[in-house]
């Protein structure tokens, strides 16, 4: 059984307080998972039936980790001892996600709601398919609305995220409202539910069938909820329905790390705990086991500017450590390049592996210059919490366009973009052309050029094929025009003209009803356009510049590791929203500019406090060394736009910061220079 002497006094108090409502305020890095698992094991040791314990968290990974830790703490013979029920499952605590809990309840009682017990749960792709079918029936001809955006809005409606829904695109919101009942009917007809329905149907069951609620209350006599600050209105109602009578309810969370308001999380669930449980015992965990006091003092200084919060003061026995390094860069390209140089310096001179270093950023669009710099330096990396810049549909399209211009006989690239934007080259047409290329043992483009193949198509399709071939050949001639080689931006201009002639950027805009998403897609392409001429000397022929560019950015096989959990030694690129719960010895927080963090929307939506919490979460990921940076200009739509430092930077006490620009001017002592050289030489041996 657990040795409580290994806990600090506040952790032990949290573990030993078993009855009545308890709120454990667990600051960043204070060992909350350890407390939860020790608490479950201690309950069992004190005679609580394992089957009456329920611990709920948000992710399968967190639930799995908790179960593994509890299994190590509780002897098998203790868990298997017969309790008041015969069912073997009753001899183990229930540790699961909200959705898993609701599935268990609904499998037992859903027939009371008119569903069959063998209901199916639709995943995202099945939900989108259902939405597409409905939209095809009701949408006006030529109208385009992203089904994924509709699905997101329907989810917000169901989970009570009224504030986030209010600031969404008006046309998406209107369409979601229009199809909501049809969508629900379509799922019901298939005896299907979606993930949001799992909680809502459980609540409906509890309201309409009190005997089912009473049975669940009788079963789960001790309820714990992890990450309570992230619960939404439906989850709040669910756990309160289960606990409002026996009141053995323990919540674990940190209001300073509430960063999911945009998806319906309500921080008030944690802040207003006393309204629902006036007798609640509040226990604060403030001893941090992750970071140095310099990092923690900076985090404390920033977060205290949020007025509506429960006061906490994180501290550590790890000492002060080094000061926080602050960089000011002229551009986002310089920022990316310097951060990568620093990562390599730490690896070569101080033997800090790639895997011990992470780059944190606010928005996905910021990954572009970082990924470019990492690739050029041949630094292995993996991206978490966002789609890789080079995996985005518009970037894959653009690179396919460029590959076809360089080599029109590249069948894979040509088949990807032949009908993008739509130009009368349907899937059926391309399949026939592909078959013709196989017959003639040539490429698809060669088949498109072949008059005997062209005449096998109807007039309109034949004209589409001829127009496409003419466009490719015309643009390829421009690439080989010596006059363009003298222009330092010749390749960018040539590719831009090609995209405009195709109408690709306009097609991208038309395909997105959400203007922000549309702008982001267009900006991705325009930013890459602006980089086309940077990989070769001015005066180089355009086709040679294009070849050099594609050589630099083409994915090599080892990038396949990016999507694998077991990535080995690799730098982590991660959005701030995805980094909660993670930690790294060396952290680089980039792009600390007004408009990025805090995001430009935050002032309109009244979410400045959440943006500050996001910065707090980012800072507290660092264990040993924290580097932060902002730029004086950042590329947007291929143009450099002026930037201003984030106001949050002023909230960090000056004595905790070391300005990189000033440090660079200081001479290196002979001793430190020799030590550094010895380390680098040892690393190379």
């Amino acid at each position: 059984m657990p040795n409580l002497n290994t806990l600090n006094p506040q952790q032990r108090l949290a573990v030993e307080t078993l009855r009545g409502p308890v709120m454990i305020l667990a600051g960043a890095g204070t060992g909350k998972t350890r407390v939860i698992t020790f608490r479950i094991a201690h309950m069992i040791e004190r005679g609580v039936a394992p089957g009456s314990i329920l611990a709920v968290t948000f992710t399968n990974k967190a639930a799995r980790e908790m179960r593994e830790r509890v299994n190590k703490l509780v002897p098998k013979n203790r868990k298997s001892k017969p309790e008041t029920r015969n069912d073997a499952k009753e001899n183990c605590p229930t540790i699961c996600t909200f959705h898993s809990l609701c599935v268990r309840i609904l499998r037992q009682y859903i027939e009371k709601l008119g569903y069959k017990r063998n209901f199916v749960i639709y995943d995202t792709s099945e939900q989108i398919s259902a939405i597409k079918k409905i939209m095809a029936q009701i949408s006006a001809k030529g109208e385009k609305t992203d089904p994924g955006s509709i699905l997101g809005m329907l989810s917000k409606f169901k989970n009570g995220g009224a504030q986030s829904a209010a600031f969404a695109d008006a046309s998406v919101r209107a369409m979601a409202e229009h199809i909501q009942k049809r969508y629900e009917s379509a799922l019901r007809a298939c005896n299907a539910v979606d993930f949001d329905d799992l909680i809502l149907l459980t609540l409906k069951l509890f309201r309409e069938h009190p005997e089912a609620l009473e049975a669940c209350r009788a079963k789960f006599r001790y309820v714990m909820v992890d990450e309570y600050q992230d619960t939404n209105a439906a989850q709040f109602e669910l756990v309160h329905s289960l606990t409002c009578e026996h009141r053995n309810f323990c919540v674990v969370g940190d209001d300073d790390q509430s960063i999911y308001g945009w998806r319906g999380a309500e921080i008030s669930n944690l802040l207003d705990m006393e309204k629902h449980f006036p007798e609640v015992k509040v226990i604060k965990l403030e001893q941090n086991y992750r970071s140095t006091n310099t990092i923690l003092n900076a985090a404390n200084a920033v977060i205290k500017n949020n007025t509506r919060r429960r006061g906490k003061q994180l501290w550590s026995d790890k000492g002060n450590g080094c000061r926080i390094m602050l960089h000011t860069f002229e551009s986002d390209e310089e920022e990316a390049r310097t951060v990568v140089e620093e990562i390599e310096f730490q690896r070569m001179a101080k033997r800090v592996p790639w895997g011990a270093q992470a780059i944190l950023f606010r928005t996905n669009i910021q990954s572009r210059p970082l990924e470019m710099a990492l690739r050029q330096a041949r630094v292995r990396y993996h991206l978490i919490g966002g789609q890789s810049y080079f995996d985005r549909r518009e970037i894959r399209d653009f690179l396919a366009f460029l590959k076809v211009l360089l080599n029109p006989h590249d069948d894979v690239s040509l088949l990807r973009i032949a009908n993008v934007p739509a130009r009368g080259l349907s899937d059926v047409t391309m399949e026939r052309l592909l078959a013709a290329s196989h017959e003639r043992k040539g490429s698809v483009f060669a088949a498109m050029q072949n008059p005997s193949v062209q005449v096998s198509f109807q007039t309109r399709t034949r004209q589409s094929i001829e127009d496409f071939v003419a466009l490719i050949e015309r643009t390829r001639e421009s690439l080989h025009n010596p006059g363009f080689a003298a222009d330092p931006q010749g390749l960018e201009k040539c590719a831009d003209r090609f995209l405009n002639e195709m109408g690709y950027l306009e097609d991208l805009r038309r395909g997105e009803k959400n203007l922000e998403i549309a702008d982001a897609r267009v900006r991705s392409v325009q930013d890459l356009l602006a980089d086309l001429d940077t990989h070769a000397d001015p005066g180089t022929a355009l086709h040679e510049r294009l070849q050099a560019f594609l050589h630099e950015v083409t994915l090599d096989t080892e990038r396949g590791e990016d999507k694998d959990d077991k990535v080995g030694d690799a730098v982590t690129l991660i959005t701030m929203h995805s980094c909660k719960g993670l930690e790294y010895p060396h952290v680089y927080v980039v792009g600390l500019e007004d408009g990025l963090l805090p995001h430009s929307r935050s002032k309109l939506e009244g979410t400045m406090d959440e943006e500050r919490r996001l910065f707090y979460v980012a800072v507290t990921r660092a264990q040993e060394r924290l580097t932060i940076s902002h730029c004086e200009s950042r590329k947007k739509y291929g143009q450099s736009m002026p930037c201003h430092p984030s106001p949050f930077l002023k909230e960090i006490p000056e004595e905790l910061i070391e300005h990189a620009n000033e440090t660079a001017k200081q001479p290196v002592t002979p001793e430190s220079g020799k030590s550094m050289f010895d380390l680098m030489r040892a690393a190379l041996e």
Side-chain angles (χ1 to χ4, degrees), residues 9-73:
Q10 291 305 103
Q11 288 176 329
R12 182 161 185 163
L13 179 62
V15 166
E16 293 182 326
T17 308
L18 302 182
R19 299 189 184 278
V22 180
M23 176 163 56
I24 302 172
L25 289 175
T30 56
K32 73 176 179 65
T33 304
R34 181 178 174 82
V35 167
I36 293 170
T37 53
F38 268 58
R39 194 172 189 271
I40 293 171
H42 186 61
M43 281 184 192
I44 296 171
E45 185 182 36
R46 296 294 299 271
V48 174
S52 67
I53 300 171
L54 170 65
V56 187
T57 188
F58 277 84
T59 67
N60 289 316
K61 181 180 178 182
R64 187 166 56 249
E65 182 184 354
M66 282 187 196
R67 282 195 295 269
E68 290 171 355
R69 290 203 194 184
V70 169
N71 287 338
K72 290 178 181 178
L73 291 171

Side-chain angles (χ1 to χ4, degrees), residues 136-400:
Q137 296 168 0
I138 66 174
S139 297
K141 190 174 182 181
E143 183 180 6
K144 288 187 177 181
T145 307
D146 177 29
S149 299
I150 300 293
L151 178 59
M153 187 58 58
L154 290 172
S155 181
K156 287 176 181 176
F157 290 162
K158 289 184 178 184
N159 288 297
Q163 181 181 8
S164 51
F167 289 97
D169 182 85
S171 61
V172 173
R173 189 169 67 249
M175 178 64 80
E177 290 170 347
H178 188 49
I179 74 169
Q180 187 172 14
K181 288 186 178 179
R182 292 178 185 234
Y183 171 74
E184 291 169 1
S185 297
L187 265 63
R188 186 69 181 261
C190 299
N191 195 42
V193 300
D194 63 24
F195 282 103
D196 296 316
D197 288 332
L198 292 173
I199 294 179
L200 297 180
L201 286 174
T202 304
L203 292 176
K204 184 180 180 183
L205 173 74
F206 287 171
R207 286 192 294 268
E208 297 179 2
H209 301 276
E211 72 281 6
L213 173 57
E214 286 304 318
C216 292
R217 283 176 177 167
K219 174 176 173 57
F220 300 121
R221 304 294 299 175
Y222 294 84
V223 178
M224 301 178 68
V225 179
D226 187 22
E227 302 286 10
Y228 192 62
Q229 78 281 348
D230 294 336
T231 53
N232 59 33
Q235 292 158 343
F236 172 85
E237 185 180 345
L238 176 69
V239 293
H240 277 254
S241 297
L242 290 172
T243 59
C244 63
E245 287 195 356
H246 61 65
R247 305 181 84 74
N248 294 323
F249 183 37
C250 175
V251 303
V252 185
D254 181 9
D255 51 309
D256 290 336
Q257 296 186 74
S258 179
I259 58 174
Y260 300 124
W262 51 276
R263 68 183 188 196
E266 297 189 9
I267 191 174
S268 59
N269 293 347
L270 188 70
L271 293 175
D272 299 336
M273 182 79 174
E274 287 87 348
K275 289 183 181 179
H276 306 281
F277 295 90
E279 74 276 31
V280 66
K281 183 166 187 176
V282 180
I283 301 170
K284 295 182 183 180
L285 305 183
E286 297 172 298
Q287 183 176 356
N288 177 284
Y289 293 91
R290 174 186 298 155
S291 309
T292 65
N293 279 307
T294 294
I295 293 168
L296 297 178
N297 289 340
N300 290 332
V302 168
I303 203 64
K304 74 178 183 182
N305 292 287
N306 277 1
T307 52
R308 191 162 184 256
R309 62 182 287 264
R310 293 179 179 269
K312 291 177 290 297
Q313 190 74 13
L314 296 182
W315 61 276
S316 169
D317 60 7
K318 289 191 168 187
N320 290 331
C322 59
R323 286 191 292 171
I324 297 166
M325 184 67 73
L326 173 62
H327 287 270
T328 301
F329 296 111
E330 289 185 4
S331 67
D332 49 346
E333 281 91 352
E334 184 190 1
E335 178 182 55
R337 187 171 59 251
T338 306
V339 166
V340 172
E341 287 171 356
E342 178 63 21
I343 286 170
E344 282 296 80
F345 172 76
Q346 292 295 326
R347 184 175 72 92
M348 297 293 290
K350 300 187 178 180
R351 296 198 169 185
V352 179
W354 285 332
Q357 306 187 68
I359 308 173
L360 278 56
F361 47 89
R362 172 66 175 84
T363 65
N364 284 326
I365 197 70
Q366 291 172 258
S367 76
R368 182 196 65 83
L370 294 166
E371 289 190 71
M372 295 281 281
L374 287 162
R375 286 165 181 265
Q376 287 168 15
R378 302 189 183 281
V379 174
R380 189 183 299 112
Y381 70 91
H382 66 117
L383 183 121
I384 302 175
Q387 187 182 31
S388 170
Y389 177 78
F390 295 96
D391 283 339
R392 294 171 192 170
R393 172 172 59 84
E394 64 273 16
I395 297 304
R396 285 190 174 275
D397 285 348
F398 182 47
L399 292 176

Side-chain angles (χ1 to χ4, degrees), residues 494-518:
C494 183
D496 185 47
R497 188 172 68 182
F498 175 60
L499 290 178
N500 286 330
E501 193 170 350
M502 284 195 307
Y504 180 70
L505 297 182
E506 283 307 308
D507 186 68
L508 264 185
R509 287 193 174 95
R510 283 195 304 270
E512 296 288 352
K513 279 291 184 180
N514 186 311
L515 295 178
E516 188 173 327
I517 295 174

